[in-house]
Amino acid sequence: GAVVSQHPSRVICKSGTSVKIECRSLDFQATTMFWYRQFPKQSLMLMATSNEGSKATYEQGVEKDKFLINHASLTLSTLTVTSAHPEDSSFYICSTTRGGTYEQYFGPGTRLTVT
Amino acid sequence: GQNIDQPTEMTATEGAIVQINCTYQTSGFNGLFWYQQHAGEAPTFLSYNVLDGLEEKGRFSSFLSRSKGYSYLLLKELQMKDSASYLCAVRGYNFNKFYFGSGTKLNVKP
């Protein structure tokens, strides 16, 4: 069964508004979660590493004030795209690793369309 | 920086064998992963190599040479449902960080 859930699966918003995406680990605690972005026909680009109880670590070139990450509990990380613009339209995927395993578990992804 | 290269697209025939190559140059290495991704969906795990050699898993096998910074994914007895993108990913010096190649779109034709 699913290990990581993501909500919403699809969202359409108007330019200038903010959108929150939730990522939950199911049945286990995830101290670290990862947020990726994937543009059409491109690969996954790591945006940031979300750490429970501390600040997220952003990859080079990712605006931390635009992509707000909150990891307030051991099972939930949220990504808020603030003041969204059409160029933010993308597929956003979260993932986590599980203690004792080498595998990375991905959420089902969120398709964001900014009009 | 991290540099992971894969061919952009490949075409193969149903029932055949196809090899998808991946070369990498990363600041650290703690394993190489292959994922399958269908359009509009999240990636699903296929295989993992951390030591040199071949790992076989049913119709899928993956090979790693750390000295050459090279891996390949071998798909046997191709089926139409294998049409998807295949992503090569390297786990870097930070044990939990994964860096992905651009993906190889595989088209399986009858």
Side-chain angles (χ1 to χ4, degrees), chain B residues 3 14 17 35-36 38-39 57 61 66 76 83 88 102:
Chain B
N3 192 29
E14 192 176 13
I17 299 173
Y35 290 86
Q36 181 190 63
H38 286 99
K57 204 174 180 183
S61 303
R66 289 171 295 170
K76 304 175 186 175
S83 292
C88 170
S102 56

Side-chain angles (χ1 to χ4, degrees), chain A residues 35-74:
Chain A
W35 286 96
Y36 293 88
R37 178 168 54 181
Q38 185 176 34
F39 291 108
K41 299 186 179 181
Q42 296 186 24
S43 191
L44 279 72
M45 295 298 296
L46 180 64
M47 298 175 67
T49 303
S50 171
N51 303 297
E52 188 271 333
S54 64
K55 290 183 179 179
T57 304
Y58 289 82
E59 295 297 301
Q60 193 172 8
V62 178
E63 299 175 58
K64 61 182 179 181
D65 294 331
K66 179 169 181 64
F67 299 98
L68 301 179
I69 291 173
N70 187 311
H71 195 151
S73 79
L74 287 170

Side-chain angles (χ1 to χ4, degrees), chain B residues 4-5 11 15-16 26-27 35 42-43 47 49 60-61 63 65-66 69 73 82 85 89 92-94 100 103 106 110:
Chain B
I4 301 170
D5 290 318
T11 299
T26 57
S27 55
Y35 290 86
S47 70
N49 296 71
F60 299 89
S61 303
F63 171 83
S65 168
R66 289 171 295 170
L73 178 70
D82 296 329
S85 287
Y93 73 90
N94 178 325
F100 284 81
L106 175 65

Side-chain angles (χ1 to χ4, degrees), chain B residues 2-110:
Chain B
Q2 324 297 333
N3 192 29
I4 301 170
D5 290 318
Q6 304 177 235
T8 304
E9 191 164 358
M10 300 180 71
T11 299
T13 304
E14 192 176 13
I17 299 173
V18 70
Q19 177 175 313
I20 302 174
N21 295 324
C22 171
T23 57
Y24 64 90
Q25 290 178 306
T26 57
S27 55
F29 180 85
N30 275 308
L32 188 139
F33 296 74
W34 284 95
Y35 290 86
Q36 181 190 63
Q37 186 179 28
H38 286 99
E41 299 179 11
T44 55
F45 171 77
L46 289 178
S47 70
Y48 162 69
N49 296 71
V50 67
L51 299 176
D52 291 351
L54 188 68
E55 291 286 338
E56 297 188 77
K57 204 174 180 183
R59 293 192 299 116
F60 299 89
S61 303
S62 57
F63 171 83
L64 175 67
S65 168
R66 289 171 295 170
S67 62
K68 295 181 180 178
Y70 168 70
S71 173
Y72 68 72
L73 178 70
L74 195 70
L75 294 80
K76 304 175 186 175
E77 302 170 15
L78 279 174
Q79 302 175 9
M80 297 300 291
K81 67 178 183 180
D82 296 329
S83 292
S85 287
Y86 291 85
L87 309 178
C88 170
V90 173
R91 186 164 59 188
Y93 73 90
N94 178 325
F95 199 70
N96 281 328
K97 269 192 179 181
F98 290 74
Y99 296 96
F100 284 81
S102 56
T104 299
K105 184 180 179 186
L106 175 65
N107 303 302
V108 180
K109 59 181 184 179

